[in-house]
Amino acid sequence: MPKTPVSVSAPALRAAREDAGLSITKAAKALGLAHSTLVAWESGQSQPVVSRLPELAQLYGVPMAQLLDVEGQRPITILAGLRVAAGLLQRDVGAAVGVSGEHYGMIERGARPVPSHWIAPLSELFDIPAATLAALLSD
């Protein structure tokens, strides 16, 4: 399965559910899903749509970023994936770090490096620990 900017990690999804103490049946019912849908997500046979990530993270009590598969992706792909997973537009993220959406878009496309003083506001915005975000964005 090719990676998109927002791929969900099947093992992370399964682990988060198990850590939350939920069976597949209970989690599927809470999410309004068929049992087989959640099984397919956790086995990597299919992916949830991005709009489901906040609901999954809330049910499992984890940050959305914990459910993403970012291994081997370039920092700019990770940044775009985190933004999309959070349901934000470039202009929203730009406003949070004090620049225009256009300026932020240049950073996200890799035209410029991510300024270090953006790590704290981005980590809060994307619900990911600052140290984790910094490590993900270091090339």
Side-chain angles (χ1 to χ4, degrees), residues 1 3 14 21 24-25 27 31 36 40 43 52 63 68-69 75 82 98 101 104 118 125-126:
M1 175 178 301
K3 286 194 180 198
R14 182 178 315 107
I24 288 182
T25 303
L31 294 165
S36 60
S43 66
R52 284 291 197 163
L68 298 178
D69 181 8
L82 291 170
Y104 173 76
W118 285 15
L125 194 62
F126 298 145

Side-chain angles (χ1 to χ4, degrees), residues 20-55:
L22 295 169
S23 67
I24 288 182
T25 303
K26 285 183 181 179
K29 185 175 181 177
L31 294 165
L33 299 171
H35 181 275
S36 60
T37 300
L38 194 52
V39 168
W41 291 353
E42 289 189 5
S43 66
Q45 294 173 344
S46 68
Q47 290 272 308
V49 294
V50 172
S51 61
R52 284 291 197 163
L53 289 178
E55 187 179 9

Side-chain angles (χ1 to χ4, degrees), residues 64-137:
M64 282 189 300
Q66 184 175 320
L67 303 176
L68 298 178
D69 181 8
V70 296
E71 187 175 319
Q73 291 187 8
R74 295 178 30 215
I76 59 171
T77 304
I78 292 167
L79 199 57
L82 291 170
R83 177 183 54 77
V84 171
L88 300 169
L89 301 172
Q90 288 180 342
R91 69 173 178 237
D92 300 327
V93 180
V97 295
V99 299
S100 69
E102 200 172 292
H103 180 92
Y104 173 76
M106 290 172 50
I107 301 284
E108 194 173 275
R109 288 188 300 278
R112 297 180 181 163
V114 177
S116 60
H117 65 279
W118 285 15
I119 297 297
L122 289 176
S123 70
E124 187 174 325
L125 194 62
F126 298 145
D127 192 23
I128 183 172
T132 303
L133 182 61
L136 289 173
L137 296 177

